[in-house]
């Protein structure tokens, strides 16, 4: 937990805080003042030590231009501080008040089709609007000057889930800002024409003023225009954060500043690799996808990716739900024990705190059916009891705080490649970016192997196994990084539809997979996407669907070939010796058994041992401190009791593990290893 006196970033390994943070998003403005005393009493009963305050309170803090009303917030923060509850204070700029959009309707966002989006929800502003930025900066400065020295202030929280609803705005204000962004990126309009390939379809520009956002058009739009607009949009949202952060750093030095990322499978508009460099503490919001019975797997992937954004260090889970959410088609309540399992998944993968949205379930508004630690039914509920249990478990394992995760396997991940991979007019709509990344992560997790998520241009030399799924667009620097890893002794796997284009979405000529031909020792003449439901068999008994290729070897060896389909006898899985390592290629979309089999072969060649041997559905991860002390986390998502090899003290059950630990169905264990 953050110290209430000494402020700074999350402590590094070896400088563990006293507690793992526990709490949630607190919205006292939604309740009469007589409820506030009960809130503080229940927070102390539950062991809450950090709450986020003021996220959506702009209309309560500034009731008209420059008319600020802080008395109620003074009261709330005073109560929390007196009780010793730490404060993550939001700048309240997440959603402008109605008076602001009434005065300045030109700040409202616009869809690709030209529809103006009106107030009534949240985030009703164009990210490029100078009007929004000016008013937001004034409010931010007022808050910083008033509360910057508050004793209980642990964090500043800029906005909230920036880009959740307004990431892409196509209005004229955005168009002007987009042109300025392009001028800065390309310098001259001829460079823009070259990058965008505007010789195609008579799209050549003679002046930047002719450029528009990729609004709805009569035919497929320019793919590089779309890609650059996504880059611009991510940068514009980040600029909003940076503007407020700089005010907070100026007025309230020493207090760390964050904004809550949304690293999840259904949000892709922000390049969080770029954002992570700008925050003092990496924090993330994550909600399970109720329709997915194995949603804990997506959680594990996102938590690993968030740790990657934090540079491998500790991070903060800013929001998750104690039970059902309000915004999915079927809002499935968490099953008994799921709250604890999900929270410990995050902690096992580097989180040094678990906060929930929300503290008290709302009685009105769009999120009134979103669960709270204090449900509508009050504290005589399973949700309350499980939240209190979580606090007790977090206290029992508090010594892990500040420790890190060291793995020997990395999956390369890039938001730019995600955007580019899923542009229009590609060979198959069935090829999606996350598909192979999730499949490989699942196979590794089921094998008991820990995995990091890394940027393509990171130094990958410390890994024994590097997996490159669907990296459709790739820079020359990233290619060099992967080549260096293989030459240095790593085993590298590249999957189909990788290395096809450069960062401008231009085809890398000479045969696919473009950038990776030499690394892989092969050349693909033609893609052979499969029909919906069509499968192909491989010579080793594996099955694949969606994709095949007409492939020629150029130094690589074939490990498996197609038995049938459009390319019988053609290599489907290959291996190429590169320096002291090797580069493998999967030219097809393997089913689960095939993916598991391929990962097993890669782990064997890379000599990567599992953390522990576990059945599918059981996760094992390890955190380690600078002094070498380590902790083994076991999360059992199955309906069966499991026995896992372990030596040390189970901190959760306060029992010795002498060679093994038994973990009941749906439960967890955290072992301080000997």
């Amino acid at each position: 937990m953050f110290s209430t006196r000494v402020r700074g970033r999350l402590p590094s390994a070896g400088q563990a805080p006293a507690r793992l943070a526990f709490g949630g998003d607190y919205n006292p403005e939604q309740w009469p003042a007589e409820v506030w005393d009960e809130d503080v009493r229940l927070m102390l009963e539950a062991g809450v030590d950090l709450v986020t305050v003021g996220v959506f309170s702009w209309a309560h803090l500034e009731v008209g231009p420059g008319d600020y009303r802080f008395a109620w917030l003074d009261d709330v923060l005073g109560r929390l501080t007196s009780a010793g509850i730490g404060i993550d204070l939001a700048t309240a700029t997440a959603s402008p008040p109605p008076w602001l959009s009434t005065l300045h309707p030109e700040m409202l966002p616009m869809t690709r089709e030209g529809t103006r989006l009106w107030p009534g929800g949240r985030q009703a502003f164009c990210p490029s609007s100078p009007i929004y930025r000016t008013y937001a900066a004034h409010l931010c400065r007022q808050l910083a000057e008033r509360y910057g020295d508050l004793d209980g202030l642990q964090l500043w929280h800029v906005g909230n889930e920036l880009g959740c609803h307004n990431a892409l705005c196509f209005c004229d204000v955005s168009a002007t800002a987009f042109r300025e962004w392009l001028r800065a990126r390309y310098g001259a309009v001829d460079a823009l024409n070259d990058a965008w390939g505007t010789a195609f379809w008579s799209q050549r520009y003679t002046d930047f003023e002719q450029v528009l956002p990729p609004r709805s058009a009569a035919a497929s739009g320019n793919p590089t225009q779309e890609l650059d607009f996504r880059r611009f949009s991510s940068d514009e949202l980040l600029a909003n954060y940076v503007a407020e952060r700089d005010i907070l750093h100026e007025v309230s030095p020493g207090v760390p500043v964050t904004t809550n990322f949304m690293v999840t499978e259904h949000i892709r508009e922000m390049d969080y690799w770029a954002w992570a460099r700008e925050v003092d503490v990496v924090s993330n919001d994550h909600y399970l996808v109720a329709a997915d019975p194995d949603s804990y797997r997506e959680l594990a992937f996102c938590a690993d990716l968030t740790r990657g954004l934090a540079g491998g260090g500790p991070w903060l889970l800013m929001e998750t739900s104690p039970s059902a959410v309000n915004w999915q088609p079927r809002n499935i309540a968490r099953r008994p024990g799921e709250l604890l399992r999900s929270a410990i998944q995050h902690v096992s993968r580097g989180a040094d705190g678990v906060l929930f949205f929300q503290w008290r379930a709302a009685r009105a508004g769009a999120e009134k059916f979103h669960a709270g630690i204090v449900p509508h039914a009050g504290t005589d509920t399973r949700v309350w009891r499980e939240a209190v249990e979580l606090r007790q478990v977090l206290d029992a394992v508090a010594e892990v705080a500040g420790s890190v995760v060291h793995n020997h396997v990395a999956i390369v991940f890039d938001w730019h490649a995600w955007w580019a991979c899923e542009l229009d007019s590609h060979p198959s709509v069935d090829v999606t970016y996350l598909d192979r990344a999730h499949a490989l992560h699942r196979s590794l997790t089921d094998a008991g192997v820990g995995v990091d998520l890394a940027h393509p241009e990171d130094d990958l030399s410390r890994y024994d196994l590097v997996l490159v799924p669907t990296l459709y667009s790739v820079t020359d620097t990233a290619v060099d990084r992967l080549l260096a890893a293989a030459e240095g002794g790593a085993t590298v796997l590249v999957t189909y539809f990788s290395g096809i284009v450069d960062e401008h979405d231009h085809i890398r000529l000479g045969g696919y997979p473009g950038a990776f031909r030499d690394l892989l020792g092969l050349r693909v003449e033609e893609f052979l996407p499969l029909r919906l439901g069509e499968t192909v068999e491989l010579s080793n008994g594996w099955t694949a669907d969606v994709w095949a290729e007409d492939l020629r070897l150029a130094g690589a060896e074939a490990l498996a070939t197609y038995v049938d389909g459009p390319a019988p006898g053609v290599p489907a899985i290959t291996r190429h010796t590169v320096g002291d390592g090797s580069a493998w290629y999967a030219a097809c979309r393997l089913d689960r058994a095939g993916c598991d089999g391929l990962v097993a072969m890669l782990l064997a060649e890379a000599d990567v041992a599992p953390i522990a041997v576990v059945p599918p559905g059981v996760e094992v991860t390890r955190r380690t401190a600078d002094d070498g002390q380590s902790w083994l986390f076991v999360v059992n998502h199955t309906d069966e009791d499991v026995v896992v090899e372990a030596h040390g003290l189970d901190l959760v059950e306060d029992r010795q593990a002498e060679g093994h630990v038994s973990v009941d169905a749906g439960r967890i264990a955290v072992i301080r290893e000997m």
Side-chain angles (χ1 to χ4, degrees), residues 206-408:
T206 57
D207 193 286
F208 278 106
E209 292 304 312
Q210 300 161 7
V211 180
L212 293 170
R215 295 167 175 164
S216 291
S220 298
N222 184 305
T224 315
Q225 178 188 19
E226 179 72 37
L227 187 56
D228 268 349
F229 187 71
R230 288 187 173 274
R231 292 166 173 152
F232 152 78
S233 298
S234 178
D235 286 352
E236 287 292 277
L237 287 162
L238 178 57
N240 282 295
Y241 165 79
V242 168
E244 293 187 37
R245 180 208 62 191
D246 288 350
I247 292 171
L248 297 169
H249 279 172
E250 172 200 341
V251 179
S252 182
V255 182
V257 184
T258 190
T259 189
N260 39 345
F261 296 173
M262 298 170 288
V263 178
T264 181
E265 70 175 11
H266 57 273
I267 293 177
R268 63 170 188 166
E269 282 76 18
M270 284 64 69
D271 174 16
Y272 286 131
W273 290 119
W275 287 46
R277 295 191 291 267
E278 303 294 342
V279 298
D280 297 331
V281 175
V282 168
S283 65
N284 192 51
D285 293 358
H286 186 272
Y287 293 93
L288 295 176
V289 179
D292 181 1
D294 291 335
S295 57
Y296 66 87
R297 296 184 181 277
E298 191 266 349
L299 184 161
F301 181 91
C302 293
D304 282 340
L305 179 51
T306 305
R307 186 182 68 254
L309 295 171
W315 52 278
L316 178 65
L317 179 63
M318 183 67 77
E319 285 186 29
T320 189
S321 178
S323 191
V325 301
N326 69 288
W327 45 268
Q328 295 182 23
R330 296 168 186 83
N331 296 305
I332 309 301
R334 286 188 187 267
R335 300 308 190 234
E338 190 174 14
L339 183 153
L340 176 62
R341 291 196 304 275
S342 294
I344 295 304
Q345 274 188 276
H346 288 288
V347 173
S348 73
R349 297 171 188 276
D352 268 4
V354 178
L355 309 185
F356 291 93
F357 183 88
Q358 51 193 328
W359 162 249
R360 183 182 287 272
R363 61 181 178 178
E367 293 184 309
K368 60 182 174 291
F369 290 115
H370 196 299
I373 296 176
V374 182
H376 293 142
T379 58
D380 187 14
T381 53
R382 177 171 59 83
V383 169
W384 170 262
R385 288 188 289 272
E386 290 195 1
V388 172
E389 180 196 16
L390 172 60
R391 168 76 276 178
Q392 295 166 352
V393 171
L394 293 177
D395 282 345
V397 305
E399 64 190 59
V400 309
S403 61
V404 298
V405 178
H406 295 297
N407 291 314
H408 299 283

Side-chain angles (χ1 to χ4, degrees), residues 172 211 381 438 461 464 501:
D172 288 341
V211 180
T381 53
H438 280 178
S461 61
D464 299 315
V501 300

Side-chain angles (χ1 to χ4, degrees), residues 561-633:
T561 59
Y562 299 109
V563 172
D564 53 13
V570 171
I573 308 294
T574 67
R575 180 189 179 280
H576 186 218
T577 299
V578 180
D580 293 329
S582 63
W584 296 47
Y585 186 56
C588 54
R589 183 184 183 274
L590 296 169
D591 64 8
R592 178 169 295 191
C595 191
D596 288 347
L598 178 59
V599 165
M601 295 171 66
L602 293 165
L603 291 172
E605 175 164 294
D607 196 25
V608 174
I611 296 170
V613 177
V614 291
V618 177
E619 291 185 44
V620 286
T621 50
R622 177 175 283 123
R623 291 182 64 162
T624 306
D626 278 350
D627 63 4
Q629 179 62 62
S630 61
W631 296 267
L632 175 70
F633 288 76

